[in-house]
Amino acid sequence: MSQVYLSRKAARNLHLAAQGLLKKPRKRAVPADILTTIRQMALLQIDTINIVARSPWIVLFSRLGSFPFPWLEESLSRGELIEYWAHEACFLPKEDFALIRHRMLNPHKMGWKYSAEWMATHEQEIAELLAWMAENGPVRAADFAHPRPGQSGWWEWKPHKRHLEGLFTAGKVMVASRHNFQRVYDLTHRIMPGWDDAQHGLTQSEAESVMLSRSARCLGIFKPAWLADYYRLKNIQANTVTDRWLGEQAVTQVEVEDLGTMWLDNSLLPLLPQAEQDTLNATHSTVLSPFDPVVWDRRRASQLFQFEYRLECYTPAPKRQYGYFVLPVLHRGQIVGRMDAKMHRKTGVLEVMALWLEEGVRSSQHLEQGVWQALVDFANWQGATQITLGQVPPALASLKTRNMQTN
């Protein structure tokens, strides 16, 4: 096959196609779309910050459009999803249990997520907790009182919370459901009945081979150095892997403007002719979560989208450049800006404290309309009846003259 040359725009759009972000959804979402969308991404990272909406909901909204928040928890309760450490804490399709089981069986390799010393010191209490669950069923950390009322912060977790998190990392318990987004834990054998490690398990090497292939499919187009971060793999010789995939005709080598040699997962081969002709067009404008797979690898986002991002919620307010929980704005295949926003649920107001455009983004009617529609869609999904705009760039100043009523 002759050498394939692609523009940076085409490479971005192939990546967005793999992620389900190339085109605006054509139909109203249904509950089954939750699992389908997570399968397409492989992982849905969990974060509990709720200044606008929780991150996993935003990631799904970006791809599905409006859907009821409870659908995600309902998918988990139906047994379609599981939770575990993948990229970070993530929802995964239940059928991927085999991919992460080796991590559960070797919790001492999980760093800060597992304290062997704590588990050994509290062995008797933990055994009693497991016995209680076996007899009485699922539990929440909230079911147990803190021995020192008034303590807060992860370093002051109540003992049973630490017990449950240790058991979770070690695969002794799993998350059966969530109640008000709080984890409800149950014994693993009840969530995975019939599972047998000897019969169904994968070695670490076998699992990581699948993870790498899954990463390539989810990225769509990639540099080998980008692969390991998706599942947070270590000591991976990615160049050796891509050479093998090339021989297996699983990938195609391409040259990309300014980025050099990259690899296309062959699941996207049907789109390659359009990409090569630069006619693969993105039409979607939406708000992204900081924990969206498109931007969670900050180095990849910088190289592919020329988008520099730092999460500032843990930065002291006076030192923040943009804001507490700043959301990237995607418009027609390009991350054109970012916004600092807050959802006031009691008053039904989406407050956009500040909106910025990225350097070099040109003002246009399409840009203005796309950004506005992304804001309106985002607000409507959260039940807002009004949008208020604070600081906006001169190129989008006319947004302030628009009708702020979303419905």
Side-chain angles (χ1 to χ4, degrees), residues 235-268:
N235 303 318
I236 297 298
Q237 300 299 319
N239 287 317
T240 302
V241 172
T242 50
D243 288 345
R244 174 167 57 80
W245 288 344
L246 186 63
E248 296 169 352
Q249 297 185 325
V251 297
T252 297
Q253 184 175 330
V254 297
E255 294 295 318
V256 178
E257 173 190 10
D258 298 330
L259 292 171
T261 300
M262 296 183 68
W263 301 89
L264 179 76
D265 187 84
N266 280 355
S267 62
L268 290 182

Side-chain angles (χ1 to χ4, degrees), residues 126-194:
I126 292 170
E128 291 171 359
L129 173 59
L130 288 171
W132 194 95
M133 293 175 67
E135 181 71 22
N136 298 282
V139 301
R140 297 177 300 159
D143 296 333
F144 304 95
H146 200 293
R148 297 184 302 279
Q151 300 295 325
S152 62
W154 66 265
W155 56 91
E156 287 290 355
W157 275 353
K158 66 184 73 173
H160 284 86
K161 171 68 172 176
R162 294 193 66 176
H163 299 345
L164 288 166
E165 287 297 306
L167 290 168
F168 169 76
T169 298
K172 303 294 185 182
V173 304
M174 295 177 67
V175 179
S177 62
R178 281 181 175 258
H179 178 71
N180 294 330
F181 217 69
Q182 295 179 352
R183 284 173 165 174
V184 178
Y185 302 87
D186 201 358
L187 300 176
T188 294
H189 73 81
R190 286 205 283 248
I191 294 175
M192 299 296 300

Side-chain angles (χ1 to χ4, degrees), residues 25-38 60 63-68 70-72 74-75 78 80:
R26 295 182 179 179
K27 61 181 181 66
R28 185 181 295 274
V30 297
D33 291 332
I34 299 296
L35 177 58
T36 300
T37 302
I38 294 174
L60 293 169
R63 291 154 176 79
L64 295 176
S66 185
F67 72 95
W71 281 6
L72 177 58
E74 290 167 4
S75 182
R78 287 195 299 270
E80 298 170 350

Side-chain angles (χ1 to χ4, degrees), residues 104-373:
M104 297 178 179
L105 297 177
N106 295 280
H108 59 282
K109 295 182 179 180
M110 299 297 287
W112 65 266
K113 303 174 182 69
Y114 183 80
S115 171
E117 181 182 0
W118 175 274
M119 302 301 283
T121 301
H122 299 274
E123 182 178 5
Q124 182 60 38
E125 289 179 19
I126 292 170
E128 291 171 359
L129 173 59
L130 288 171
W132 194 95
M133 293 175 67
E135 181 71 22
N136 298 282
V139 301
R140 297 177 300 159
D143 296 333
F144 304 95
H146 200 293
R148 297 184 302 279
Q151 300 295 325
S152 62
W154 66 265
W155 56 91
E156 287 290 355
W157 275 353
K158 66 184 73 173
H160 284 86
K161 171 68 172 176
R162 294 193 66 176
H163 299 345
L164 288 166
E165 287 297 306
L167 290 168
F168 169 76
T169 298
K172 303 294 185 182
V173 304
M174 295 177 67
V175 179
S177 62
R178 281 181 175 258
H179 178 71
N180 294 330
F181 217 69
Q182 295 179 352
R183 284 173 165 174
V184 178
Y185 302 87
D186 201 358
L187 300 176
T188 294
H189 73 81
R190 286 205 283 248
I191 294 175
M192 299 296 300
W195 175 268
D196 183 293
D197 286 321
Q199 182 178 355
H200 305 122
L202 300 175
T203 66
Q204 179 175 339
S205 178
E206 291 168 337
E208 290 184 347
S209 178
V210 177
M211 288 177 176
L212 284 172
S213 296
R214 193 74 55 80
S215 302
R217 176 182 62 77
C218 294
L219 293 174
I221 187 169
F222 58 90
K223 286 181 169 291
W226 297 352
L227 290 171
D229 179 75
Y230 211 85
Y231 283 89
R232 293 287 166 87
L233 303 179
K234 299 177 181 178
N235 303 318
I236 297 298
Q237 300 299 319
N239 287 317
T240 302
V241 172
T242 50
D243 288 345
R244 174 167 57 80
W245 288 344
L246 186 63
E248 296 169 352
Q249 297 185 325
V251 297
T252 297
Q253 184 175 330
V254 297
E255 294 295 318
V256 178
E257 173 190 10
D258 298 330
L259 292 171
T261 300
M262 296 183 68
W263 301 89
L264 179 76
D265 187 84
N266 280 355
S267 62
L268 290 182
L269 274 181
L271 298 180
L272 186 56
Q274 285 177 270
E276 202 170 1
Q277 296 163 22
D278 229 12
T279 59
L280 182 65
N281 295 318
T283 60
H284 197 19
S285 297
T286 192
V287 174
L288 300 178
S289 163
F291 304 109
D292 193 292
V294 170
V295 294
W296 70 24
D297 183 340
R298 311 305 186 201
R299 179 184 58 171
R300 168 163 51 85
S302 173
Q303 293 176 349
L304 186 57
F305 287 92
Q306 298 170 297
F307 180 69
E308 305 295 334
Y309 184 86
R310 182 166 66 95
L311 188 66
E312 297 182 301
C313 58
Y314 305 113
T315 302
K319 296 184 178 181
R320 291 176 191 147
Q321 181 180 2
Y322 293 107
Y324 179 80
F325 191 70
V326 173
L327 306 172
V329 179
L330 178 72
H331 172 64
R332 296 191 172 191
Q334 184 179 2
I335 299 177
V336 297
R338 61 190 86 195
M339 72 174 189
D340 185 22
K342 183 175 182 178
M343 180 62 204
H344 299 274
R345 293 173 181 85
K346 290 183 179 179
T347 57
V349 174
L350 176 66
E351 179 188 7
V352 180
M353 285 84 79
L355 181 64
W356 297 269
L357 286 181
E358 297 303 295
E359 184 178 352
V361 174
R362 295 180 180 179
S363 176
S364 70
Q365 186 176 356
H366 283 308
L367 174 68
E368 181 182 319
Q369 182 58 36
V371 171
W372 177 250
Q373 191 60 55

